[in-house]
Amino acid sequence: MENLTVIVLAAGGGTRMKSKTMKVLHPVAGRSMIGHVLRAVQAVEPERIVVVVGNQREQVGPHITSLVPDALLAVQETQDGTGDAVRVALDAAAAAGPVTGTVLVSAGDTPLLRGESLREFAADHAASGRAVSILTGRVRNPFGYGRIVRDADGSVLAIVEEKDASAAEREIDEINSGILAFDADFLRSALPRLSNDNANGEYYLTDTVKIAREDGLTVGGHLIDDVTETEGANDRAQLAELGRQMNARIVTAWMKEGVTVMDPATTWIEDDVVLERDVTILPNTQLLGATVVREDAVIGPDTSLKDCEVGVGARVLRTHAELAVVGESATVGPFSYLRPGTQVGRSGKVGAFVEAKNAVLGDGAKVPHLSYVGDATIGEGTNIGAGTIFANYDGVNKHHTVVGAHARTGSNNTFIAPVTIGDGAATGGGTVVREDVPPGALAVPGAKQRVIEDWVLERRRGTKQADAASRAHQVTGEVTGDSDGSE
Ligand code: UD1
Ligand code: CA
């Protein structure tokens, strides 16, 4: 919108969060609260955005700049009230160029606010020619909010803060959302006229309403449909509630796009996640960060994917994964742990109790059971036997293992990296592979198995183990040892 300046107030400390992290930096659905607000503000395409930051500006400032590089940061040294904060913002904006037209003021802790609602409000204000417009809401419990005092014909007379309100004013259920729009010239003239003669000893931005009335200018209220959009989080309980509402909004939006979500209440989808049609999400699933899930894939139950890509028709079951890629039609889980750099090939498999890290598996390659695959490249069509450890760490450095295509390795192998197993090679059960295995070769454990006949019968007399051995000998007629005669 042309001729629009947006001021976001974020200087308040947020003491009720009881956190070393500033309030507006706390995340909701994977994005900071201020990040959500800035996104809504950007959707209105204002000429400039000014963010008021306070004494923790070294935490908040860089975060804001990383999200909106051309946002102006205005520093409010002491939190003397919303009116003072807007004065600081206007001074900073004026230093960068003349401020005319509309000034929209919003808080930094209302993550559910939609860009569309802000745009409607700003457009309504600009068209109305009013000095002040207030985005208002009707709430069941107005406690703590500024109340909208209207006269008999409905025009707004004042906003009265909780602590300054009379008993009758406290009954009013129409509240100030904290989002206001001003004519820039009026705002400039009104701010120096604010007083801090009130219960909080603060300069209230909301007192501009009375000033406008005294100046004979018009003030209007614009009732928002969904008042939850303007809800802020002051403590962790409210943060969780806003998170739940944001999640419900995201999950519902994906269902409308053709995603099946069996249990929306236990499905958590962050804001940047992308899902394709006919994806199915089963209960207790978290899709986080920049995760992308392609068509027909089935995720869950009990799965967390962060920054992962899951291919068309893949199946990911009871899995914890981060920065991993799962190929088309591949299967992962149950109980798999995919760490960063894992790539499962098309139609490949990572099965139960398998941990993988920095491991690239070719198309159709399988690691079905009970294995650790660290720092490895596995060729297409290869099968890794159950209980295999890719021993990548020598205690000082990490090393890489290469297994070629269509190899078959036996159960309970250990690959001591760096080592290469060639295409089409094989290994026997229990092999500790310390040297390269050429293509097509078979590697088996070096030492021949020693068998010490009747060791148990002699050394474990009187045990159930010895009894069992004894009975086995009688069945086969090969009694070679002398048990304790327990027959
Ligand atoms: C404010 C409004 C109230 C409204 C409510 C909606 C005033 C006087 N009151 O009350 O009418 O119903 O919001 O939530 O405006 N801030 C600064 N600097 C300051 C003080 C506040 O940047 O000196 C920022 C805060 O970080 C916050 C916003 O301004 O983002 C609102 O401040 P807060 O103290 O929460 O105001 P409320 O008492 O909730
Ligand atoms: Ca507040």
Side-chain angles (χ1 to χ4, degrees):
M1 272 177 76
E2 273 176 38
N3 242 352
L4 175 68
T5 298
V6 177
I7 296 172
V8 179
L9 304 183
T15 40
R16 280 171 287 171
M17 295 298 277
K18 298 188 179 158
S19 176
K20 56 187 168 299
T21 303
M22 241 204 105
K23 175 164 88 169
V24 294
L25 296 185
H26 279 263
V28 167
R31 188 186 301 277
S32 67
M33 288 202 272
I34 187 112
H36 284 285
V37 171
L38 289 172
R39 209 161 55 142
V41 166
Q42 279 181 303
V44 189
E45 297 175 48
E47 247 169 61
R48 64 177 81 69
I49 300 173
V50 189
V51 184
V52 182
V53 294
N55 38 27
Q56 282 163 293
R57 57 183 174 271
E58 57 296 327
Q59 237 184 55
V60 193
H63 177 70
I64 291 163
T65 307
S66 74
L67 296 173
V68 186
D70 55 1
L72 286 174
L73 295 181
V75 179
Q76 188 192 21
E77 295 292 349
T78 52
Q79 274 67 73
D80 293 334
T82 49
D84 181 64
V86 169
R87 180 189 59 75
V88 166
L90 217 52
D91 287 350
V99 179
T100 56
T102 300
V103 177
L104 185 69
V105 178
S106 166
D109 66 346
T110 54
L112 295 171
L113 185 65
R114 289 179 205 264
E116 199 43 46
S117 307
L118 266 189
R119 177 193 295 278
E120 253 175 51
F121 175 57
D124 178 55
H125 168 82
S128 71
R130 291 191 289 255
V132 186
S133 300
I134 311 149
L135 190 63
T136 72
R138 273 193 204 290
V139 292
R140 215 170 328 139
N141 178 11
F143 181 82
Y145 285 102
R147 312 294 208 284
I148 307 297
V149 182
R150 293 177 184 265
D151 68 10
D153 66 13
S155 58
V156 177
L157 295 176
I159 302 174
V160 182
E161 295 303 308
E162 175 78 34
K163 284 188 187 164
D164 304 295
S166 66
E169 286 165 342
R170 285 188 183 146
E171 294 297 309
I172 299 171
D173 69 349
E174 187 184 8
I175 56 98
N176 168 25
S177 69
I179 296 164
L180 297 105
F182 297 92
D183 172 69
D185 293 330
F186 165 72
L187 185 60
R188 239 189 317 273
S189 87
L191 291 175
R193 290 188 271 163
L194 293 178
S195 111
N196 64 354
D197 180 17
N198 52 50
N200 277 327
E202 288 185 355
Y203 295 94
Y204 290 162
L205 181 63
T206 45
D207 283 347
T208 54
V209 171
K210 264 182 276 174
I211 294 173
R213 297 291 305 208
E214 284 159 16
D215 287 1
L217 300 170
T218 50
V219 178
H222 179 100
L223 194 69
I224 194 168
D225 295 335
D226 178 6
V227 74
T228 61
E229 276 191 48
T230 66
E231 273 173 23
N234 294 314
D235 59 28
R236 311 269 182 151
Q238 287 169 345
L239 183 70
E241 176 54 24
L242 293 189
R244 193 190 61 74
Q245 290 185 35
M246 175 67 82
N247 187 59
R249 188 191 278 182
I250 295 170
V251 170
T252 303
W254 283 119
M255 292 193 288
K256 286 185 175 157
E257 290 295 316
V259 171
T260 294
V261 178
M262 185 183 273
D263 184 12
T266 63
T267 298
W268 293 85
I269 304 176
E270 286 187 350
D271 216 22
D272 286 335
V273 169
V274 175
L275 306 175
E276 290 186 355
R277 297 177 76 165
D278 290 315
V279 161
T280 297
I281 303 173
L282 300 176
N284 283 315
T285 292
Q286 294 172 290
L287 302 178
L288 311 175
T291 293
V292 176
V293 183
R294 307 264 175 232
E295 209 165 303
D296 296 325
V298 180
I299 313 292
D302 307 326
T303 293
S304 296
L305 307 181
K306 183 167 189 223
D307 299 323
C308 289
E309 191 180 333
V310 178
V312 172
R315 179 79 184 89
V316 180
L317 168 69
R318 289 186 214 279
T319 289
H320 187 93
E322 184 168 349
L323 279 168
V325 177
V326 176
E328 184 177 334
S329 304
T331 67
V332 175
F335 311 110
S336 302
Y337 179 25
L338 307 186
R339 291 164 54 196
T342 300
Q343 289 181 38
V344 183
R346 165 200 278 256
S347 303
K349 178 183 174 108
V350 167
F353 305 104
V354 173
E355 173 180 347
K357 182 213 75 169
N358 189 25
V360 178
L361 282 67
D363 292 348
K366 293 178 178 166
V367 185
H369 327 276
L370 302 159
S371 295
Y372 172 61
V373 187
D375 298 305
T377 307
I378 301 176
E380 62 167 332
T382 284
N383 191 84
I384 303 296
T388 294
I389 304 297
F390 287 63
N392 56 332
Y393 187 48
D394 61 13
V396 181
N397 295 307
K398 303 274 171 69
H399 301 282
H400 200 84
T401 295
V402 176
V403 183
H406 299 286
R408 291 280 176 276
T409 68
S411 297
N412 197 27
N413 279 197
T414 304
F415 303 146
I416 313 283
V419 74
T420 297
I421 295 164
D423 290 348
T427 65
T431 306
V432 176
V433 179
R434 296 173 190 279
E435 283 159 27
D436 291 356
V437 181
L442 168 69
V444 289
K448 192 170 173 350
Q449 180 173 303
R450 279 176 72 207
V451 175
I452 301 163
E453 296 289 350
D454 294 333
W455 185 93
V456 171
L457 293 175
E458 286 158 18
R459 302 290 187 89
R460 296 288 183 265
R461 275 168 197 273
T463 64
K464 286 183 177 170
Q465 186 186 9
D467 292 349
S470 174
R471 280 194 298 274
H473 283 323
Q474 282 165 8
V475 171
T476 57
E478 306 172 7
V479 181
T480 53
D482 191 18
S483 87
D484 70 350
S486 65
E487 55 203 319

Short mmCIF file of all heavy atoms in Angstrom, two decimals, residues 263-290:
data_model
loop_
_atom_site.label_atom_id
_atom_site.label_comp_id
_atom_site.label_asym_id
_atom_site.label_seq_id
_atom_site.Cartn_x
_atom_site.Cartn_y
_atom_site.Cartn_z
N ASP A 263 -5.46 -37.53 12.80
CA ASP A 263 -5.74 -36.95 14.12
C ASP A 263 -5.14 -35.54 14.21
O ASP A 263 -4.00 -35.37 14.65
CB ASP A 263 -5.14 -37.86 15.20
CG ASP A 263 -5.48 -37.36 16.59
OD1 ASP A 263 -6.35 -36.45 16.70
OD2 ASP A 263 -4.87 -37.85 17.55
N PRO A 264 -5.90 -34.54 13.79
CA PRO A 264 -5.36 -33.17 13.78
C PRO A 264 -4.82 -32.73 15.14
O PRO A 264 -3.88 -31.96 15.21
CB PRO A 264 -6.57 -32.32 13.37
CG PRO A 264 -7.42 -33.24 12.57
CD PRO A 264 -7.25 -34.60 13.22
N ALA A 265 -5.41 -33.24 16.23
CA ALA A 265 -5.00 -32.78 17.56
C ALA A 265 -3.57 -33.20 17.90
O ALA A 265 -2.90 -32.55 18.68
CB ALA A 265 -5.96 -33.28 18.62
N THR A 266 -3.10 -34.30 17.33
CA THR A 266 -1.74 -34.77 17.65
C THR A 266 -0.81 -34.66 16.45
O THR A 266 0.24 -35.29 16.41
CB THR A 266 -1.74 -36.22 18.17
OG1 THR A 266 -2.21 -37.08 17.12
CG2 THR A 266 -2.61 -36.37 19.39
N THR A 267 -1.22 -33.88 15.48
CA THR A 267 -0.37 -33.65 14.30
C THR A 267 0.12 -32.22 14.36
O THR A 267 -0.67 -31.29 14.47
CB THR A 267 -1.20 -33.88 13.02
OG1 THR A 267 -1.64 -35.23 13.00
CG2 THR A 267 -0.37 -33.58 11.77
N TRP A 268 1.43 -32.04 14.30
CA TRP A 268 2.02 -30.70 14.40
C TRP A 268 2.77 -30.41 13.11
O TRP A 268 3.70 -31.13 12.75
CB TRP A 268 2.96 -30.62 15.61
CG TRP A 268 2.17 -30.74 16.88
CD1 TRP A 268 1.78 -31.90 17.50
CD2 TRP A 268 1.63 -29.66 17.64
NE1 TRP A 268 1.01 -31.59 18.61
CE2 TRP A 268 0.92 -30.22 18.72
CE3 TRP A 268 1.69 -28.27 17.52
CZ2 TRP A 268 0.25 -29.44 19.67
CZ3 TRP A 268 1.04 -27.50 18.47
CH2 TRP A 268 0.33 -28.09 19.53
N ILE A 269 2.34 -29.37 12.44
CA ILE A 269 2.97 -29.02 11.17
C ILE A 269 3.45 -27.58 11.25
O ILE A 269 2.65 -26.66 11.49
CB ILE A 269 1.97 -29.18 10.00
CG1 ILE A 269 1.41 -30.61 9.96
CG2 ILE A 269 2.64 -28.84 8.67
CD1 ILE A 269 0.35 -30.83 8.89
N GLU A 270 4.74 -27.37 11.07
CA GLU A 270 5.25 -26.00 11.14
C GLU A 270 4.97 -25.27 9.83
O GLU A 270 4.67 -25.86 8.79
CB GLU A 270 6.74 -26.00 11.50
CG GLU A 270 6.93 -26.34 12.98
CD GLU A 270 8.35 -26.20 13.47
OE1 GLU A 270 9.28 -26.01 12.64
OE2 GLU A 270 8.55 -26.29 14.69
N ASP A 271 5.16 -23.96 9.98
CA ASP A 271 4.72 -23.01 8.96
C ASP A 271 5.36 -23.19 7.58
O ASP A 271 4.72 -22.95 6.56
CB ASP A 271 5.05 -21.62 9.49
CG ASP A 271 4.01 -20.62 9.10
OD1 ASP A 271 2.89 -21.03 8.80
OD2 ASP A 271 4.34 -19.43 9.09
N ASP A 272 6.62 -23.62 7.53
CA ASP A 272 7.32 -23.68 6.24
C ASP A 272 7.22 -25.06 5.58
O ASP A 272 7.79 -25.29 4.51
CB ASP A 272 8.80 -23.33 6.42
CG ASP A 272 9.00 -21.83 6.65
OD1 ASP A 272 8.13 -21.05 6.21
OD2 ASP A 272 10.01 -21.45 7.26
N VAL A 273 6.52 -25.99 6.20
CA VAL A 273 6.42 -27.34 5.66
C VAL A 273 5.56 -27.32 4.39
O VAL A 273 4.62 -26.54 4.26
CB VAL A 273 5.79 -28.27 6.72
CG1 VAL A 273 5.40 -29.63 6.15
CG2 VAL A 273 6.76 -28.43 7.89
N VAL A 274 5.91 -28.17 3.43
CA VAL A 274 5.14 -28.26 2.18
C VAL A 274 4.67 -29.71 2.00
O VAL A 274 5.48 -30.64 2.09
CB VAL A 274 6.00 -27.84 0.96
CG1 VAL A 274 5.23 -28.06 -0.33
CG2 VAL A 274 6.42 -26.38 1.10
N LEU A 275 3.38 -29.88 1.77
CA LEU A 275 2.81 -31.21 1.58
C LEU A 275 2.10 -31.26 0.23
O LEU A 275 1.48 -30.29 -0.17
CB LEU A 275 1.80 -31.51 2.70
CG LEU A 275 2.32 -31.34 4.14
CD1 LEU A 275 1.21 -31.55 5.14
CD2 LEU A 275 3.46 -32.30 4.40
N GLU A 276 2.18 -32.42 -0.42
CA GLU A 276 1.47 -32.56 -1.69
C GLU A 276 0.16 -33.31 -1.46
O GLU A 276 -0.12 -33.84 -0.39
CB GLU A 276 2.37 -33.27 -2.71
CG GLU A 276 3.52 -32.37 -3.14
CD GLU A 276 4.37 -32.95 -4.26
OE1 GLU A 276 4.15 -34.12 -4.67
OE2 GLU A 276 5.26 -32.24 -4.73
N ARG A 277 -0.63 -33.37 -2.50
CA ARG A 277 -1.95 -34.01 -2.41
C ARG A 277 -1.81 -35.48 -2.08
O ARG A 277 -0.86 -36.14 -2.46
CB ARG A 277 -2.67 -33.89 -3.74
CG ARG A 277 -2.94 -32.48 -4.14
CD ARG A 277 -3.59 -32.46 -5.47
NE ARG A 277 -4.98 -32.84 -5.34
CZ ARG A 277 -5.89 -32.63 -6.29
NH1 ARG A 277 -5.55 -32.09 -7.43
NH2 ARG A 277 -7.13 -32.97 -6.10
N ASP A 278 -2.83 -35.98 -1.41
CA ASP A 278 -2.91 -37.40 -1.06
C ASP A 278 -1.78 -37.89 -0.18
O ASP A 278 -1.52 -39.09 -0.10
CB ASP A 278 -3.06 -38.27 -2.32
CG ASP A 278 -4.43 -38.09 -2.95
OD1 ASP A 278 -5.42 -38.08 -2.21
OD2 ASP A 278 -4.49 -37.92 -4.19
N VAL A 279 -1.10 -36.98 0.49
CA VAL A 279 -0.22 -37.39 1.58
C VAL A 279 -1.14 -37.80 2.73
O VAL A 279 -2.21 -37.22 2.92
CB VAL A 279 0.68 -36.20 2.00
CG1 VAL A 279 1.27 -36.40 3.39
CG2 VAL A 279 1.78 -35.99 0.96
N THR A 280 -0.73 -38.83 3.48
CA THR A 280 -1.49 -39.24 4.67
C THR A 280 -0.60 -39.07 5.89
O THR A 280 0.55 -39.52 5.89
CB THR A 280 -1.95 -40.71 4.55
OG1 THR A 280 -2.83 -40.81 3.44
CG2 THR A 280 -2.67 -41.16 5.82
N ILE A 281 -1.14 -38.43 6.91
CA ILE A 281 -0.39 -38.23 8.15
C ILE A 281 -1.13 -38.92 9.28
O ILE A 281 -2.30 -38.64 9.54
CB ILE A 281 -0.21 -36.74 8.46
CG1 ILE A 281 0.49 -36.07 7.27
CG2 ILE A 281 0.61 -36.55 9.72
CD1 ILE A 281 0.57 -34.57 7.39
N LEU A 282 -0.43 -39.85 9.93
CA LEU A 282 -1.02 -40.65 11.01
C LEU A 282 -0.71 -40.00 12.37
O LEU A 282 0.16 -39.14 12.44
CB LEU A 282 -0.52 -42.09 10.90
CG LEU A 282 -0.89 -42.75 9.55
CD1 LEU A 282 -0.30 -44.14 9.42
CD2 LEU A 282 -2.41 -42.79 9.37
N PRO A 283 -1.42 -40.39 13.42
CA PRO A 283 -1.33 -39.67 14.70
C PRO A 283 0.09 -39.49 15.26
O PRO A 283 0.99 -40.27 14.95
CB PRO A 283 -2.18 -40.52 15.63
CG PRO A 283 -3.19 -41.15 14.73
CD PRO A 283 -2.45 -41.43 13.45
N ASN A 284 0.22 -38.48 16.11
CA ASN A 284 1.48 -38.19 16.81
C ASN A 284 2.63 -37.93 15.85
O ASN A 284 3.71 -38.50 16.01
CB ASN A 284 1.86 -39.32 17.75
CG ASN A 284 1.04 -39.29 19.00
OD1 ASN A 284 0.86 -38.22 19.58
ND2 ASN A 284 0.51 -40.43 19.38
N THR A 285 2.41 -37.12 14.89
CA THR A 285 3.46 -36.82 13.91
C THR A 285 3.77 -35.34 13.94
O THR A 285 2.88 -34.50 14.02
CB THR A 285 3.00 -37.27 12.52
OG1 THR A 285 2.94 -38.70 12.52
CG2 THR A 285 3.96 -36.82 11.44
N GLN A 286 5.09 -35.04 13.90
CA GLN A 286 5.54 -33.64 13.84
C GLN A 286 6.30 -33.45 12.54
O GLN A 286 7.29 -34.14 12.29
CB GLN A 286 6.52 -33.35 14.97
CG GLN A 286 5.95 -33.40 16.36
CD GLN A 286 7.08 -33.29 17.36
OE1 GLN A 286 7.88 -34.19 17.51
NE2 GLN A 286 7.15 -32.15 18.02
N LEU A 287 5.87 -32.50 11.74
CA LEU A 287 6.58 -32.17 10.50
C LEU A 287 7.13 -30.77 10.70
O LEU A 287 6.37 -29.80 10.84
CB LEU A 287 5.64 -32.25 9.31
CG LEU A 287 4.97 -33.61 9.13
CD1 LEU A 287 4.00 -33.60 7.96
CD2 LEU A 287 6.02 -34.71 8.96
N LEU A 288 8.45 -30.66 10.75
CA LEU A 288 9.08 -29.43 11.22
C LEU A 288 10.01 -28.83 10.17
O LEU A 288 10.44 -29.51 9.24
CB LEU A 288 9.89 -29.73 12.49
CG LEU A 288 9.15 -30.52 13.58
CD1 LEU A 288 10.10 -30.84 14.73
CD2 LEU A 288 7.94 -29.76 14.09
N GLY A 289 10.34 -27.56 10.40
CA GLY A 289 11.32 -26.88 9.55
C GLY A 289 10.86 -26.82 8.12
O GLY A 289 9.71 -26.52 7.82
N ALA A 290 11.80 -27.11 7.21
CA ALA A 290 11.51 -26.99 5.78
C ALA A 290 11.18 -28.36 5.18
O ALA A 290 11.51 -28.65 4.04
CB ALA A 290 12.72 -26.38 5.07
#
